[in-house]
Amino acid sequence: MPEEEKNEMLETLPALALRGLTVYPKMMVHFDVGREASVKAIEESMSSNTPIFLVAQKDIRVEAPDRNHLFDVGTVSVVRQILRLPGKTIRVMVEGQYRARLHDLIQTDPYLVAKVERAESDQSYEGKSNSLRAEAAVRQAYELFDRYSELAPKNASAEMLMNIMSSEDAGYIADFIAQNVSMRVLDKQSILDELRPVQRLNKMNRLLRREVEILEMEQSIQRRVQENMTQNQKDAFLREQVRVIQEELGEDGDNEIAAYRRQIADAHLPEEVENKLLKEVIHLEKQPFGSAEASVLRNYLDVCLELPWTKISKERVNVQAARKILDADHFGLEKVKERILEFLAVKQLAPDLKGQIICLVGPPGVGKTSIGMSMARAMNRKLARISLGGVHDEADIRGHRKTYVGAMPGRIINAIRQAGTKNPLLLLDEIDKLGSDMRGDPAAALLEVLDSEQNSTFRDHFVELPFDLSDVLFITTANTTATIPKPLLDRMEVIELPSYTDEEKLQIAKNHLLPKQLKRHGLKKSQLKLTDDAIREVIVSYTRESGVRILERELGSLCRKVAMGIVSEEYKQAKVTGDNLENFLGPRKFHPEKNGLENQVGLVNGLAWTSVGGTLLEAEVNVVPGSGKVELTGNLGNVMKESARAAFTYIRSRAKELGVEPDFYKEKDIHIHFPEGAVPKDGPSAGVTITTAMVSALTGIPVRGDVAMTGEVTLRGRVLPIGGLREKSMAALRNGIHTVILPKDNETDLEEIDQTVRNALQFIPVAHVDQVLANALERPPLAQPEEQTDNAPLGGAGTSARASVPQA
């Protein structure tokens, strides 16, 4: 088409962008206009008596639309009426005239002006279509709109239905239905875009069918909801009738409420508890059927009625019987058993004595938990065990308030509930491994539980009633007291369980562990004969622990290997000795420290202790030409580094007496290293070890390889006492050490050491570093100290220990 002829067909009209609305030809529509540009376009159309182009926006959120925000097809309409509302809003009534296609917006301010082209189909609305396809589409439209008017009578009146039924024009029917039925803007626009009447009506029928299906589904859902509500109302009405009839007859049926009342009456609860539970029963009785609060109340009543408010088990406090049980369950640990029996003796003389809380502290595997279980058996108390390792929420101890979803009592109340008596033995395992975070500190919550002055009225957040914990015997276990908060530790009486000696481990393995493993693996005593030498070899070469847990595991591995041989018919019975042990357990995992027994310059055997036992801790020192730097390596803590500096200063102050060059600190670099650098090490008791190694390296005098030592050193050379002597001495014995040098102030601790260890080691108490050097070096330095204290060897115990974080 020529450009001039095309321009003649375009009309320039004021335009109005519609939001969420579509206007169709031959339809009378009214709507409110609020945007300033839209109001001015309406006013211009009225004042100039010209039509206005109405086109829908693609995005209703756009306040100032341009060409890209408008659809391509709109409706040229005539403004019939304007009604001004309060504010700047006007209400407009328009009548659509014909479809038009938007070519361009030639003005956007102060209102939109558009160039449009008429886009009507060749077939006018008045022309009747006699084709069969049009007739079928029209009839389908009649049927669908009739069904729509039944499902949504508020949206489709009888007058609208008559208007449709009176027309046979497919295009007009499609436009009329689209104008009056609630649909998405895109669906309405698709009807406006379709210029072919029959196709337009078919598309409208598809959209109308979808709307009908949605309405039918909504009605189905609403009908089911109404039926459920009606049934609930009916049930509530019938229950109320039954209750009224029972009241009139003076009967109390065997229903849930009556059952709760009987349980409360039969339990003989304390007055405060009984009154509280009866109030909750009354509250439950008033709840409608199926209410969420009724479930909460039932759960609360069930928990409270299961608690042993008044039930007490008969306690047996007999020292002799307890001794037999402890001896049968545990070998050794004589001092620990004696302390427990003393506790029971006091309990026997003063039965009403309350508030005794025992904390068993010792390395893993020494029998802390099993001793607590033996105590429960000896005293005839119910046992409940609570593992506190990793607990970091205060609500785990005190519980959650019952109003929360999934609320439950705390671990203390739950344990008593499971025990079934008011006076059980509660074993709080791993109390040293409590954590804390933003939800609270469980250790703080335990302060009330473990305080005999307060726990008689312990209130759990869930139960909300005071429960008497004063009759409960609390036994706690820990590997160390270092991580237990001081206020909590102050409430407990600590009993330390030392490490087992090799002889004790031998007896435990023979009398307890091996029979247990034979039974577990289905073996008879005649099928596996394990000599004492073999057990000792397992202890020395396959385990390195303070307790017997790994030893039991190795014995289990041995039993499995024997069981496999018997089932495979390799042999009918096995005799395991120290010589053939590797055939069953494989290569030895640990070897005696033979290198440590050689006399070497700058290499000293120290002793360290941690919560899992003792070990040998070597210190190595090398002296090289340099500028006087001191290098410390081996993953050392601050305290250990300070010990090295103190030793260095002491050597400088007495360089002449020790035979060291006076200016060594200017011309020599000293490197102090502790092997196994991946293992953190800290503590002051490596002071004498570092001093001896440095003096040996600076003087070239070898250190005796069969000597181990422990002790803190000062700037004046004094040797101060240390801890963990028992564990350190056993570590020295395990590693082939013959002599242990220890602080003189620790001499009294030798009484605590096992007699076997005392007989096997030579102990030399010292008060000064010079005495250490005199006994540790192959030959003494140039001069001896002026004051010499008695450092005669003793048949006693030395200490060595090591664990994951050695305390040197």
Side-chain angles (χ1 to χ4, degrees), residues 138-148 165 208 212:
V138 169
R139 290 186 181 183
Q140 189 178 33
Y142 294 161
E143 181 181 351
L144 288 171
F145 194 83
D146 182 47
R147 178 58 180 157
Y148 177 86
M165 300 288 286
L208 188 59
V212 168

Side-chain angles (χ1 to χ4, degrees), residues 509-732:
K510 288 171 60 177
N511 300 326
H512 299 276
L513 303 183
L514 186 57
K516 177 181 175 182
Q517 291 299 323
L518 289 174
K519 182 178 180 181
R520 178 178 294 178
H521 293 85
L523 295 173
K524 299 177 182 178
K525 289 184 179 180
S526 59
Q527 292 177 311
L528 173 59
K529 294 182 179 180
L530 194 61
T531 64
D532 289 358
D533 288 341
I535 297 177
R536 287 193 177 94
E537 194 64 27
V538 173
I539 294 170
V540 173
S541 301
Y542 291 88
T543 68
R544 190 62 61 87
E545 60 176 341
S546 300
V548 293
R549 194 166 288 154
I550 300 178
L551 175 59
E552 182 177 10
R553 198 175 303 145
E554 293 296 333
L555 292 176
S557 177
L558 181 62
C559 290
R560 287 194 297 274
K561 183 67 72 173
V562 172
M564 184 64 185
I566 293 175
V567 172
S568 304
E569 297 184 354
E570 296 178 15
Y571 43 77
K572 294 184 179 179
Q573 63 178 14
K575 182 178 181 179
V576 182
T577 64
D579 296 331
N580 67 353
L581 183 62
E582 289 191 1
N583 298 334
F584 296 90
L585 294 181
R588 286 164 168 76
K589 299 177 182 178
F590 305 99
H591 300 277
E593 299 284 348
K594 294 181 180 179
N595 293 334
L597 300 181
E598 299 176 2
N599 298 356
Q600 299 184 44
V601 175
L603 178 62
V604 182
N605 296 317
L607 296 172
W609 172 86
T610 65
S611 60
V612 296
T615 190
L616 201 68
L617 186 64
E618 291 182 344
E620 297 177 344
V621 175
N622 264 356
V623 177
V624 296
S627 57
K629 293 190 296 184
V630 177
E631 187 75 21
L632 298 170
T633 57
N635 203 349
L636 309 183
N638 290 331
V639 176
M640 208 163 182
K641 292 178 181 178
E642 291 173 0
S643 296
R645 295 189 187 100
F648 181 75
T649 302
Y650 168 73
I651 295 172
R652 281 187 60 187
S653 68
R654 303 199 64 224
K656 183 177 179 181
E657 291 86 346
L658 296 174
V660 179
E661 297 178 9
D663 56 352
F664 77 92
Y665 61 91
K666 296 180 181 178
E667 301 174 353
K668 303 289 185 181
D669 285 349
I670 301 176
H671 190 153
I672 304 171
H673 177 68
F674 286 84
E676 298 188 36
V679 180
K681 309 168 189 71
D682 202 3
S685 65
V688 294
T689 308
I690 297 172
T691 305
T692 304
M694 290 175 67
V695 171
S696 172
L698 289 167
T699 61
I701 302 174
V703 181
R704 290 172 53 191
D706 63 342
V707 173
M709 60 188 68
T710 179
E712 180 180 355
V713 70
T714 69
L715 292 176
R716 304 290 180 134
R718 291 180 296 136
V719 180
L720 303 184
I722 46 79
L725 189 57
R726 188 180 194 275
E727 285 76 14
K728 291 181 179 181
S729 62
M730 284 190 285

